[in-house]
C-alpha cells in the first residue's frame, strides 16, 4: 500500500488520504497485537510500534497520525489514566503514606538524575531525556512527546527498553524473593469489565459512552482554561480522577476494543515517525539508555528493601510497588503472584499521577533554564 506523505496544511484531499491510509493499517496492527498478546508485553503498543517502524523504513508509508486521531488518543488516554486513582486502595495503606510518598519523591529525583545523565552523555535533548527516563506512564510519556517538543521515537525507545527489562526480570526476581505465593488482599489486576468487544469498563455500555464523551469534552475545556501542559490529556485525566475518587461516576474507562485501538494508535504513530537515520541514532544512545535503566531499576529495588525494613511489609510487595515499570504489567504480575494489590496499585498510581503532572513542568523549567543560560 502506497500512501503519499501529506504535509500539514496540504488540504482536505491530503487529510482524507491520510485518514484512509490509517483506516487500512489500523485493523492489521490490531490483529497483530492480539496475536502477540500471550508472549509480548504491552503487545497492543509495542507490536504496532514495530510494524510502523518496519513500514516507515520501507518508505511505503511515513507520516504521523492525522491530527484528529492524535488528539483523540490523548484525550482517551487521559481519561483512562484518571480511573487508576483508587481511594479505597489508598485507605488500606494510610498508615504507611509518609514513607510511600517519600519513595515517590525519591523516584522522581532518580529519574531526573537519569535524564540529566542521558542528556549529558548521549546528546539527547533534555525534554526527550526527561520523558524517556520518567518511571511509569509510558503511554502518556510517548503520547505527550510532541506537545512538549520531545522526540517521540527516542522517548518510546527508552520507555520500552525499561518496560521490557522490568517485565522480563520481575517474575525471575519474585521467584527468588518469594519462592512461595503470598496471601494477597486483591483478586486481580485492574481491567475492564466484559469481553473484548466492550468499549467501556461498565456493564451499561451506552451510559458509559455518554459519560466518557462528557468527561472528555469537559476535560479538554478545563485543560485549556487552566493552561495545563498537554491539555488534551491532562484535563480529561484530572476530571476522570475526580469522578473516580469521589464515586460520582464509574464504568466509563476505555476498555476492550476501544482501549486496544487507543494503544494501537499510539504505538503505530510512534513507529511511523522512524527513519533509517533515527534507527542509527538509537544504536548510539543504547549504551547510555541501558546503563540509566539498570541504575534506576537497581535504586528502586534498594528503596523497596528499605521500605520493607521500615514498614515491615514483605519485600516482594514493596518491590512490585516501587518497580519502575508499566502499571498494567506490574499489576498483572502482582495478581499472578498473589501479592498485595491495594498496596501495589496505590503506590504505582500515586507515582503515575506525580510523574504525569510534574514531568511537563520539569521539562519547561529545565528548558527555560538552559535557554536562559545560553543567552548569557
Amino acid at each position: 500500500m502506497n500512501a503519499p506523505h501529506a504535509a500539514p496544511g496540504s488540504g482536505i484531499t491530503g487529510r482524507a488520504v491520510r485518514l484512509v491510509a490509517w483506516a487500512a493499517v489500523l485493523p492489521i496492527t490490531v490483529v497483530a497485537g492480539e496475536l502477540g498478546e500471550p508472549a509480548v508485553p504491552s503487545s497492543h503498543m509495542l507490536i504496532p510500534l514495530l510494524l510502523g517502524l518496519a513500514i516507515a523504513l520501507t518508505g511505503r508509508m511515513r507520516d504521523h497520525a492525522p491530527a484528529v486521531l492524535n488528539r483523540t488518543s490523548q484525550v482517551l488516554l487521559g481519561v483512562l489514566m484518571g480511573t487508576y486513582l483508587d481511594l479505597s486502595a489508598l485507605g488500606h495503606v494510610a498508615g504507611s503514606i509518609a514513607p510511600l510518598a517519600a519513595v515517590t519523591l525519591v523516584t522522581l529525583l532518580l529519574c531526573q538524575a537519569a535524564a540529566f545523565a542521558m542528556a549529558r552523555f548521549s546528546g539527547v535533548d533534555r525534554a526527550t531525556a526527561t520523558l524517556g527516563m520518567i518511571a511509569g506512564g509510558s503511554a502518556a510519556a510517548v503520547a505527550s512527546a510532541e506537545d512538549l517538543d520531545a522526540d517521540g521515537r527516542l522517548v518510546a525507545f527508552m520507555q520500552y527498553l525499561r518496560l521490557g527489562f522490568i517485565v522480563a526480570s520481575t517474575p525471575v526476581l519474585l521467584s527468588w524473593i518469594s519462592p512461595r505465593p503470598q496471601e494477597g488482599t486483591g483478586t486481580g489486576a485492574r481491567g475492564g469489565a466484559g469481553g473484548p468487544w466492550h468499549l467501556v469498563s461498565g456493564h451499561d455500555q451506552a451510559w458509559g459512552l455518554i459519560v466518557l464523551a462528557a468527561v472528555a469534552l469537559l476535560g479538554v475545556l478545563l485543560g485549556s482554561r487552566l493552561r495545563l501542559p498537554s491539555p488534551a490529556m491532562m484535563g480529561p485525566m484530572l476530571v476522570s480522577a475526580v469522578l473516580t475518587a469521589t464515586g460520582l461516576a464509574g464504568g466509563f474507562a476505555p476498555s476492550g476494543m476501544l482501549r486496544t485501538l487507543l494503544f494501537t494508535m499510539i504505538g503505530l504513530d510512534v513507529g511511523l515517525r522512524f527513519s533509517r537515520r533515527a534507527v542509527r541514532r538509537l544504536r548510539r544512545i543504547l549504551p547510555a539508555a541501558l546503563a540509566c535503566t539498570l541504575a534506576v531499576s537497581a535504586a528502586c529495588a534498594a528503596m523497596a528493601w528499605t521500605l520493607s525494613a521500615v514498614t515491615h511489609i514483605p519485600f516482594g510487595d514493596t518491590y512490585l510497588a516501587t518497580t519502575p515499570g508499566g502499571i498494567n504489567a506490574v499489576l498483572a504480575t502482582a495478581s499472578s503472584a498473589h501479592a498485595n494489590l491495594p498496596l501495589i496499585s496505590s503506590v504505582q498510581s500515586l507515582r503515575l499521577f506525580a510523574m504525569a503532572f510534574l514531568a511537563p513542568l520539569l521539562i519547561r523549567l529545565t528548558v527555560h533554564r538552559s535557554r536562559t543560560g545560553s543567552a548569557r
Side-chain angles (χ1 to χ4, degrees):
M1 180 191 67
N2 281 312
H5 179 84
S10 59
I12 297 176
T13 302
R15 289 194 292 269
V17 168
R18 294 171 64 197
L19 284 171
V20 170
W22 271 74
V25 171
L26 273 175
I28 300 172
T29 51
V30 167
V31 172
E34 286 289 336
L35 293 175
E37 192 165 23
V40 180
S42 298
S43 63
H44 288 297
M45 275 192 66
L46 192 54
I47 289 180
L49 189 154
L50 295 175
L51 288 176
L53 167 63
I55 294 171
L57 291 180
T58 63
R60 312 256 325 155
M61 179 181 176
R62 267 187 55 197
D63 204 357
H64 54 79
V68 62
L69 292 182
N70 184 277
R71 189 171 179 83
T72 299
S73 64
Q74 289 194 41
V75 171
L76 292 177
L77 182 60
V79 174
L80 177 62
M81 290 172 62
T83 61
Y84 279 116
L85 185 61
D86 189 345
L87 290 184
S88 62
L90 288 174
H92 284 87
V93 294
S96 305
I97 196 66
L100 293 178
V103 164
T104 299
L105 177 60
V106 173
T107 303
L108 178 63
L109 295 176
L110 286 171
C111 292
Q112 279 297 292
F116 175 81
M118 281 296 300
R120 176 68 176 82
F121 298 108
S122 69
V124 176
D125 64 273
R126 192 59 185 272
T128 299
T130 299
L131 285 178
M133 287 291 112
I134 210 75
S138 56
V142 174
S144 61
E146 185 175 3
D147 285 350
L148 298 171
D149 296 323
D151 189 329
R153 300 164 300 187
L154 299 184
V155 171
F157 174 72
M158 289 184 277
Q159 284 287 337
Y160 288 114
L161 178 66
R162 187 185 68 248
L163 179 62
F165 171 77
I166 295 298
V167 170
S169 64
T170 297
V172 177
L173 290 173
L174 279 181
S175 66
W176 175 66
I177 295 170
S178 304
R180 297 179 182 177
Q182 299 169 231
E183 293 299 325
T185 55
T187 58
R190 294 179 200 192
W197 295 105
H198 277 212
L199 299 178
V200 289
S201 56
H203 295 290
D204 189 340
Q205 293 292 290
W207 176 247
L209 287 171
I210 291 173
V211 176
L212 172 60
V215 171
L217 179 60
L218 179 60
V220 170
L221 294 175
L222 184 65
S224 300
R225 179 64 62 88
L226 296 179
R227 297 183 180 179
L228 296 175
S230 298
M233 184 172 65
M234 293 302 178
M237 178 179 170
L238 185 60
V239 174
S240 176
V242 171
L243 292 179
T244 301
T246 58
L248 292 176
F252 59 87
S255 182
M257 185 52 63
L258 183 58
R259 179 169 171 160
T260 296
L261 283 171
L262 166 63
F263 287 126
T264 300
M265 282 192 296
I266 296 172
L268 185 59
D269 180 41
V270 173
L272 288 174
R273 294 171 185 262
F274 279 89
S275 63
R276 290 184 178 89
R277 181 180 179 184
V279 171
R280 287 195 296 269
R281 190 180 182 192
L282 292 183
R283 294 172 57 185
R284 291 198 297 271
I285 72 168
L286 176 60
L290 186 58
C292 289
T293 295
L294 293 174
V296 171
S297 300
C300 288
M303 283 196 297
W305 183 85
T306 304
L307 185 62
S308 177
V310 171
T311 62
H312 305 292
I313 297 172
F315 181 39
D317 290 337
T318 58
Y319 179 80
L320 283 169
T322 56
T323 294
I327 186 170
N328 290 322
V330 170
L331 292 180
T333 303
S335 177
S336 63
H338 305 286
N340 188 336
L341 276 175
L343 168 73
I344 295 163
S345 63
S346 298
V347 179
Q348 290 283 345
S349 298
L350 280 174
R351 189 177 65 200
L352 176 66
F353 273 78
M355 299 297 177
F357 276 104
L358 291 179
L361 299 177
L362 289 170
I363 288 172
R364 290 183 176 181
L365 179 63
T366 54
V367 169
H368 173 73
R369 284 185 175 177
S370 63
R371 288 175 179 172
T372 303
S374 61
R376 290 178 179 175

